[in-house]
Amino acid sequence: MRFSSFTYLVGQGLHNLRANRLMTFASMGVLTVCMLLIGCAYLLGVNIDAMVEYIGDQNETIVYMREDATEDQIAAADAAIRNTEHVVGVTYVSPQEVLSIYDGMLEDYIDLEAAFSSDNPFLPNYRVVMDSPDNIPAVSTQLEQIDGVDKVRAPIELSSTFMSLQQAITYACYAVVAVLAIVSIVVINNTIKITVFNRRKEIGIMKLVGATNGFIRFPFFVEGVTSGLIAAAISSGVVCGAYYALTVWYAENPSNLSQLLGGQLVPLIDVWYYLVGGFVLLGFVLCGIGTATSIRKHLNV
């Protein structure tokens, strides 16, 4: 195709946007609403998934040292624990620190430090944090084999519950996104068919005067891509702007629940490119290719 023909067809496609404003606005409006719903469902799923993962990561595995463990055994165990694969955080808590913690929790009822001033019953221990809850069972088994370790208390059942909950929520949200995407495809396809049907006489006249199928399709393709990209831009601006405002409000208005769930939403900088890329792809595929293929039966003149 010559450049002059290309620019002419692009111009015709943009002209058709203005000439058929009503149907253009209708298709753009439907697509924009569908994109907004998909974007909201995606952001909801991402944040719920992150919150469940955050709660699951707060579960600490406690490694108790034997009461008769020597300083050398404790030092060797410290190095072994820190060098264990999947361990990302280790905090040593001495018997006196354990006593102080429980004394603070029960200060309204009893003075534990005074009661156990001469005979501290607590064992030295390590608070171990792992990179993922699903690694807790295997790592706990490794920690039990370290010399000087008395026992390991790991939230295995709780971590399994969090993993199952996280997977269920993730699948549910992605299923919602998939359903909305299918609904969008059906609605947009029908809208495009109506648009093309209203212009069937124009297509027939172009075909009768000798225009090729590609020559006829291209302006419709340009028209569809342009309206799809405009809808994607509008959706991206609305969803990203609203989500950014929500993250700022959420951070500035902390509550007990928000602190429990991590204190913040997933930052916009971590998800905006998925949103924008998805909207652009959806707009291009649905409107551009959808418009070009919907005129197929009207080309048989």
Side-chain angles (χ1 to χ4, degrees):
M1 180 184 295
R2 292 181 300 177
F3 182 74
S4 57
S5 299
F6 175 80
T7 55
Y8 168 76
L9 294 177
V10 170
Q12 285 296 109
L14 297 178
H15 170 74
N16 290 339
L17 284 174
R18 298 189 298 271
N20 301 278
R21 289 187 292 270
L22 182 60
M23 294 307 300
T24 298
F25 287 147
S27 60
M28 287 174 53
V30 172
L31 182 58
T32 300
V33 172
C34 292
M35 285 182 178
L36 292 176
L37 293 175
I38 291 175
C40 291
Y42 169 75
L43 291 173
L44 178 62
V46 168
N47 279 281
I48 291 178
D49 185 61
M51 289 176 181
V52 172
E53 183 176 358
Y54 172 81
I55 295 174
D57 289 343
Q58 303 312 301
N59 297 303
E60 292 182 327
T61 296
I62 303 179
V63 180
Y64 292 98
M65 303 300 296
R66 292 200 305 265
E67 185 177 2
D68 59 350
T70 65
E71 294 295 331
D72 290 340
Q73 285 179 317
I74 292 177
D78 185 287
I81 293 172
R82 295 180 187 277
N83 291 326
T84 301
E85 189 178 6
H86 302 301
V87 171
V88 296
V90 179
T91 303
Y92 174 71
V93 185
S94 67
Q96 184 57 44
E97 289 174 325
V98 177
L99 180 59
S100 298
I101 292 173
Y102 283 109
D103 181 65
M105 295 171 59
L106 302 173
E107 60 181 353
D108 294 335
Y109 306 97
I110 188 174
D111 187 350
L112 286 181
E113 290 191 341
F116 297 109
S117 58
S118 59
D119 185 19
N120 191 332
F122 297 105
L123 300 175
N125 63 79
Y126 287 90
R127 307 297 173 93
V128 180
V129 179
M130 299 170 200
D131 56 2
S132 175
D134 57 352
N135 291 322
I136 291 179
V139 176
S140 298
T141 302
Q142 297 180 42
L143 297 177
E144 290 175 345
Q145 308 304 317
I146 297 176
D147 184 37
V149 172
D150 180 51
K151 60 182 177 180
V152 175
R153 191 180 73 185
I156 295 177
E157 293 184 2
L158 189 60
S159 65
S160 299
T161 300
F162 275 119
M163 291 299 298
S164 300
L165 180 62
Q166 182 181 13
Q167 291 178 354
I169 292 175
T170 300
Y171 292 152
C173 290
Y174 287 163
V176 171
V177 171
V179 170
L180 288 174
I182 294 173
V183 172
S184 301
I185 292 173
V186 173
V187 173
I188 292 300
N189 189 50
N190 289 335
T191 304
I192 291 173
K193 286 182 178 179
I194 294 174
T195 303
V196 174
F197 180 78
N198 289 337
R199 298 162 64 185
R200 65 191 184 281
K201 291 183 179 179
E202 174 186 342
I203 297 172
I205 293 172
M206 294 176 66
K207 185 68 175 178
L208 290 174
V209 297
T212 63
N213 291 345
F215 189 90
I216 297 173
R217 278 197 179 103
F218 197 79
F220 284 94
F221 179 78
V222 172
E223 181 181 351
V225 167
T226 302
S227 61
L229 293 181
I230 292 175
I234 295 173
S235 302
S236 299
V238 172
V239 173
C240 291
Y243 184 69
Y244 176 77
L246 180 61
T247 57
V248 172
W249 177 88
Y250 190 82
E252 293 177 349
N253 296 272
S255 63
N256 292 334
L257 179 60
S258 65
Q259 294 302 319
L260 175 65
L261 299 178
Q264 65 176 1
L265 298 173
V266 175
L268 177 62
I269 194 173
D270 293 341
V271 296
W272 72 268
Y273 40 87
Y274 291 113
L275 285 170
V276 175
F279 289 159
V280 169
L281 180 63
L282 193 63
F284 182 85
V285 172
L286 289 184
C287 288
I289 298 179
T291 302
T293 56
S294 294
I295 68 174
R296 183 180 304 165
K297 69 177 182 179
H298 299 293
L299 296 176
N300 299 321
V301 177

